[in-house]
Amino acid sequence: MRRKLGLGADGTASPLGLIIKIVVLGLVAAIAVWAAFPLIGTGNWLGLAVLLLVTAVIFSIYLSPRAIPAKYLIPGTLFLIVFQVLPVLFTLSTAFTNFGDAHRGSKDEAVAAVEGSSVQQVPGSTVYTLTIATDGEPGSGDIVFLLTDPATKAAFVGTADGLEPLNDATQNTDGKITEAGGYEILDIAEVSARSADIVEFSVPTDRGAIKNQGLSRAFEGTPQQAYDAGCDCVKDRTTGQTWTANDDDGLFVDGQGQALAQGWQVNVGFRNFAEVLTNPVIRASFLKILLWNLGFAFGVVLITFALGLLVALVLNKPGLRGQRLYRSLIILPYAMPAVAMMLVWRDMFNTDFGLINRLFGLDVNWFGSAPSSMFAILLVQLWLGYNYMFLVSTGALQAIPADLTEAAQVDGARPFHAFRTITFPLLLVALAPLLISSFAFNFNNFTAIYLVSEGAPFPPDNPQAGATDILITYTYRLAFGGAGAQYGFAAAISVFIFLIVATISIVSFRRTHALEEIN
Amino acid sequence: MAATDTLPATTGDETVVRLGGAQGGWFRQVGWRHLVGLLALAFSLFPILFVVSAAVNPLGTLSSSELVPTGASFENFRKLFVDTAFPTWFLNSMVIGLLAAALSMFVSACAAFAFSRYRFRGRRAGLLGILLVQMFPQFLLIVALYIMFAYVSDLWPAVGFNTRTGLLLLYLGGALGTNTWLMKGFFDTIPKDLDESAKVDGATHAQVFFGLILPLVTPILAVTGLLGFISAVNEFLIASVFLTDDDAKTAAVGLYGLVSEERNNNFGVFAAGALVLAVPTVALFQFLQRYIVGGLTAGAVKG
């Protein structure tokens, strides 16, 4: 039989089906064209090739009569690959680098940054009148310098790519630019919000670079430090000091072992992983965090399941008056916005203004000591989670045939005995997968910690690792915290987290035989 | 005194004894169940009562908020809607929540249909792979996603940082992992003879899926849709990294911003926001309640 290819090839018989198919495939084509332009514009041919390939695969699958499962799997799989599998691979590769604040880009970019930040004014160089602006949103766009040459009143725009003449600028009597098409001029507050970016910013020129001096002057200067390819080092023009490139660490280091602030990204092999296991400070905090992390996840599953099951058992008496009302009110917390409720709980535990201290006449600094902080966190999770366990326990209890428990009672079994030997094992079989996923979820329950205690209390000697930190909040602090981003190291810890959760989950799935009957 | 002799049943003493006796039996039968139920209710409801009380508290500070409302004022709600960008945040949350719920429900229903009804190469590997990927949750990838989207924002600003579409696409990446297993378990409970006979009658696979199977799995669609809505509305970590412009924030991120700086003074406004944000979820919950227990446990029992 010849393989047919075409709109109706897979048996799309009805006109409605055909129309939907044409519209959807048309949309796919339109999105592909839209996405292609920036790729062509930036010369990203690899990206364009991937885009074309994906589009071709989509068209061939939906136009061919074969591969019916693929038609149903493609949409979810595409999202899964782009937003989950690719980032996983990216995380894995980042874990083997020193990527972070001090090691962002390539060696060339590090050299440019070193030279740019060492620019000093040389006598006689031009001093421009400066207006600081952005290309795009004031909070996030790229910084640009709008410059006026005071002698000629000529206007320029200086970007990270260089200096260009500016034609449509409006200038005041001093020559300062007050408006320029396409650029957002920053006010004082916006400038101070971006001050870190402005300090780093310089406009490269033929003779060196233009840097700002205060908020309304900019000068052209030459870098004091320059890279010399011959010795693979950075030299200071005036002092003659040299910093030699160390390609293992991605840093320029001087004779005393002092490094320049700007480094570059290099492959460090297993060093990040080894650091976790061998650096005494990190190892100690990692182990402590891991223990509490396991205790927290097990603890939450245990207490929420215990309380949820207890309440479900008690209320699961046929004909109990108000049963429906109880049920719908008890699960109300599950429907409340969890983020907001965690913040409410955090504020209820507030030492000075909190409801709990005021209600009970206490003066406890709940997040000041490890045990009370842990207690508070577990209580919040009990409140947020027990109603879900109550819900699923109720469902599972109703699914257990009544004659089983009745038969046990006829045989003279005491109610508790019957529960322990018959009901509970059946419940556990039914709910094991949910309990395991609850464990996996809580193991990485970022908001439960971050919004309630933020990891507090912190030991004075290690402000990065708090007593109630779990691995994911610790990772987040390493990656985005105030002490400088360490993406490579954070990625290595993510890999550890994954290995731990995956091992525990797979072992417990095996033990509950949940995976054996995939059919 | 004569009256008490002739009508003993109405005397105070007798009544107390009788009622007490009856109460003892009643308590042992069902009364203690009500007691436990009421305790559970109290535990469930007191933080919510506190939020309501703080929201209508005219002073609007944390330190003046009591468990039981001390006054009734809509000042906090007025401030919430006039002085903050809450209407925009709320709209963002609803748009992202509803679209994420509907689309992720749809893509995982499609995948579950393929896994439940067809036998193909890589099926078992695919199912196990989904389970494995699910254990590497998206927020663990936050660093990688951030760097990826920094690049995406340069090329395609329409789906980059501070856009609803970008965040929505990102949430869809987790759709297969969370829902497919639950749905496949439910799909498996529907007899295959049904689709076989429909196919004999000339129905295409699309007609079987959209016309026959989807209507039969409404309970699990309701559950995954509701869970998807709740988790998208409540997602905090990724949203807080991706949405930094005030107008782009979701309600969860925006409300967090309200109490992260001025905790004491903004508490009333924050509580009002939490209440407003709860309304759609609670309404959906009540509306879909009859499906929820059945849907959740059906998937669980089947694994």
Side-chain angles (χ1 to χ4, degrees), chain A residues 6-251:
Chain A
L7 272 173
D10 62 337
T12 312
S14 66
L16 180 69
L18 264 180
I19 292 169
I20 291 175
K21 201 164 182 175
I22 294 170
V23 169
V24 170
L25 285 180
L27 270 177
V28 170
I31 291 173
V33 170
W34 170 79
F37 278 112
L39 288 174
I40 297 170
T42 53
N44 188 337
W45 307 119
L46 182 69
L48 189 68
V50 171
L51 180 72
L52 287 178
L53 187 73
V54 170
T55 317
V57 166
I58 294 177
F59 268 80
S60 71
I61 283 177
Y62 287 102
L63 292 180
S64 126
R66 296 199 283 174
I68 294 174
K71 293 179 208 283
Y72 289 91
L73 289 172
I74 273 274
T77 313
L78 271 183
F79 285 116
L80 189 74
I81 289 176
V82 176
F83 296 112
Q84 190 107 38
V85 177
L86 279 185
V88 167
L89 298 179
F90 192 82
T91 304
L92 285 178
S93 68
T94 309
F96 292 96
T97 68
N98 63 352
F99 188 29
D101 264 353
H103 303 271
R104 270 188 187 277
S106 64
K107 190 172 179 179
D108 290 343
E109 285 166 340
V111 166
V114 167
E115 292 180 346
S117 67
S118 72
V119 169
Q120 278 185 13
Q121 190 174 3
V122 282
S125 69
T126 316
V127 177
Y128 294 94
T129 307
L130 167 72
T131 302
I132 300 175
T134 54
D135 189 359
E137 290 280 329
S140 55
D142 292 331
I143 298 285
V144 296
F145 282 175
L146 304 178
L147 303 161
T148 317
D149 188 329
T152 61
K153 299 277 188 234
F156 299 95
V157 55
T159 66
D161 297 327
L163 197 63
E164 278 173 35
L166 187 64
N167 299 322
D168 55 349
T170 315
Q171 296 169 328
N172 67 11
T173 46
D174 299 336
K176 191 176 164 77
I177 295 168
T178 53
E179 210 179 315
Y183 299 107
E184 291 276 341
I185 289 172
L186 304 188
D187 61 30
I188 302 267
E190 288 163 343
V191 166
S192 73
R194 297 294 299 269
S195 60
D197 297 329
I198 295 168
V199 169
E200 280 181 14
F201 182 78
S202 64
V203 182
T205 59
D206 296 338
R207 282 173 291 174
I210 298 172
K211 284 204 65 86
N212 69 312
Q213 184 177 44
L215 301 182
S216 49
R217 291 265 171 282
F219 60 84
E220 183 170 18
T222 49
Q224 289 302 293
Q225 294 165 353
Y227 179 71
D228 182 347
C231 64
D232 194 16
C233 65
V234 169
K235 275 197 178 130
D236 195 297
R237 282 175 212 272
T238 33
T239 64
Q241 199 181 359
T242 57
W243 291 267
T244 314
N246 178 338
D247 284 313
D248 289 334
D249 293 334
L251 286 170

Side-chain angles (χ1 to χ4, degrees), chain A residues 11 44 314 326 338 358 519, chain B residues 33-34 65 123 136 151 204 234:
Chain A
N44 188 337
V314 169
Y326 278 129
R358 281 189 287 135
N519 52 39
Chain B
R33 292 177 191 270
H34 284 290
S65 297
R123 175 173 171 275
F136 214 137
Y151 188 69
T204 64
N234 279 316

Side-chain angles (χ1 to χ4, degrees), chain A residues 373-411:
Chain A
S373 188
M374 289 173 178
F375 171 80
I377 286 172
L378 287 175
L379 188 69
V380 176
Q381 285 310 302
L382 180 65
W383 184 81
L384 280 168
Y386 95 93
N387 20 69
Y388 173 74
M389 292 295 183
F390 164 75
L391 206 63
V392 295
S393 298
T394 302
L397 278 176
Q398 288 169 348
I400 291 175
D403 36 340
L404 270 182
T405 40
E406 276 163 19
Q409 271 169 7
V410 170
D411 288 349

Side-chain angles (χ1 to χ4, degrees), chain B residues 101-121:
Chain B
L103 290 173
S104 76
M105 184 172 82
F106 179 71
V107 296
S108 38
C110 287
F113 177 67
F115 281 125
S116 168
R117 287 323 202 236
Y118 291 91
R119 296 293 175 268
F120 49 92
R121 212 152 27 97

Side-chain angles (χ1 to χ4, degrees), chain A residues 292 296 299-301 303-304 307 333 341-342 344-346 348-349 356-357 360 362 366-367 371-387 448-449 452 468, chain B residues 42-44 46-47:
Chain A
W292 157 242
F296 166 76
V300 170
V301 175
I303 58 177
T304 53
L307 185 61
M341 291 314 290
M342 281 190 235
V344 167
W345 272 97
R346 178 194 74 177
M348 289 204 296
F349 280 114
I356 291 180
N357 275 355
F360 296 102
L362 297 172
W366 287 95
F367 302 116
S372 62
S373 188
M374 289 173 178
F375 171 80
I377 286 172
L378 287 175
L379 188 69
V380 176
Q381 285 310 302
L382 180 65
W383 184 81
L384 280 168
Y386 95 93
N387 20 69
I449 306 296
V452 178
T468 53
Chain B
F43 180 51
S44 271
F46 93 88

